[in-house]
Amino acid sequence: MILQSCTSSLVACNIYITSAASAALPSLLSRAQDHCRQLRLMQQQQQRHSDGENKESNAAAAAIVHAYADIPYDRSSFHLAGQSDCVAEVAIRLIQNALNEIELNNNKNDPSNKKLEARHPYVGLVDHVAIMPIACQQFGTTPNTAAAIAAREIGSQIDQLNSIKIHYYGLACPNNTPLATVRRKTSFFNSGGAHDSSSSSSRGNNPEEQTQKYEKGECTIGAPLHFVENYNIRLTPNVDFGTAKTLTQALRGRNIATKGIGVTGVEALTLPYNRHNIDHGGNVYEVACNLLEPKIGSVEKIEEELEKWIQKQKQQRSKDDDEDTNDLYNRSYFIEKAYRVGTTAQQCLSVLTNADEDNNYWLQQYDEQVLSRFNEFLGQR
């Protein structure tokens, strides 16, 4: 085990798996939770023998803060947090287990794979691993170098399996290349349900072709400069693809300089969200957002721009109608759901600081809740 000190920098780690159907997924989570418990036990034993030294924080060694499965996107995610060396250790084993136990199903010629065209964009089975710094006044600002070192350690260990090709980004690569730039050199924007020509890949091949050389495809691993948050806006059947794209454009941060619209630090992509069953809402579109600078380009800022977009759509549709239908075009006419995906830095810190030696029972209950919710997500078919 890696556990070297009780004062390692605190980081979060998000692991995204291209599968929401594998029977192995709940076991991956429960084993990772067990691993975290073992590391916390070692931490407590070290602290008992430290005579008060190295107790600058009561943050737990490692914990699974959240786990999520999205059936229409055929995508699952595991959200870890804790001391950087411990998080790296848990992440490595979780990823190794995933690569050994889950197949990358991307054969478009297979009649059973009708959902592939609506899958979340991807480059491989373990599609993306993000290691992010967590900052808090109580502990000071976590050095970004800890996240970068953890990312390289994870990539180095996974690379030895020779079943997946690693692409580093952010502080984990020498040039600090942004994730979006790295993805444009892969098949990401030409895969799954990606419909965004403005983010088209410079490489025309698809993930299926990558399995000819790498059995489980490719993986982007990196360390962003800030904690990245995610926010999705699910539209209703009243919003077609062309209209959905106007919302995407209204949120993209890169449009601020050229079009005078957008939210600072926000990356946005228009994706189909196909549930096939009309009782579950049918097929709609989502605008998926990455918040690269959430303290500036926050969820609140996204909501402000969303309300402006709704008002614009309302005015346009009311203008086109022959009779007064102004009251019809409220938020629920356009928006089914706007929701966070994953975690926030504060959420991670809250779990870690509550999971100290005196709260073992609390964390046991928390682990059970995370596993229970994950199984509920997997059951939403």
Side-chain angles (χ1 to χ4, degrees), residues 65-116:
V65 178
H66 180 59
Y68 183 64
D70 197 314
I71 302 302
Y73 282 152
D74 194 24
R75 189 173 177 88
S76 300
S77 57
F78 302 94
H79 303 263
L80 293 65
Q83 297 168 14
S84 58
D85 50 359
C86 298
V87 167
E89 180 179 318
V90 176
I92 289 167
R93 189 179 299 177
L94 191 158
I95 293 169
Q96 289 173 335
N97 289 338
L99 292 172
N100 289 331
E101 300 171 18
I102 302 176
E103 296 301 319
L104 176 59
N105 190 0
N106 59 8
N107 182 4
K108 292 183 178 180
N109 296 320
D110 186 341
S112 66
N113 287 343
K114 295 180 180 180
K115 296 182 179 181
L116 285 183

Side-chain angles (χ1 to χ4, degrees), residues 105-157:
N105 190 0
N106 59 8
N107 182 4
K108 292 183 178 180
N109 296 320
D110 186 341
S112 66
N113 287 343
K114 295 180 180 180
K115 296 182 179 181
L116 285 183
E117 292 185 357
R119 174 186 275 175
H120 189 284
Y122 67 105
V123 294
L125 176 68
V126 182
D127 177 65
H128 178 205
V129 181
I131 300 85
M132 304 172 292
I134 300 176
C136 177
Q137 185 176 3
Q138 180 181 355
F139 304 116
T141 301
T142 303
N144 288 314
T145 52
I149 292 170
R152 296 296 301 194
E153 175 66 18
I154 294 169
S156 174
Q157 293 295 319

Side-chain angles (χ1 to χ4, degrees), residues 39-56:
L39 290 171
R40 291 195 297 269
L41 179 60
M42 288 182 60
Q43 176 191 39
Q44 292 168 11
Q45 291 172 343
Q46 288 184 3
Q47 288 177 342
R48 290 191 191 104
H49 294 89
S50 66
D51 295 326
E53 297 177 3
N54 294 329
K55 290 188 177 181
E56 297 171 20

Side-chain angles (χ1 to χ4, degrees), residues 128 176 192 227 253 298 317 325:
H128 178 205
N176 195 16
F227 192 105
S298 62
R317 299 203 184 202
T325 56

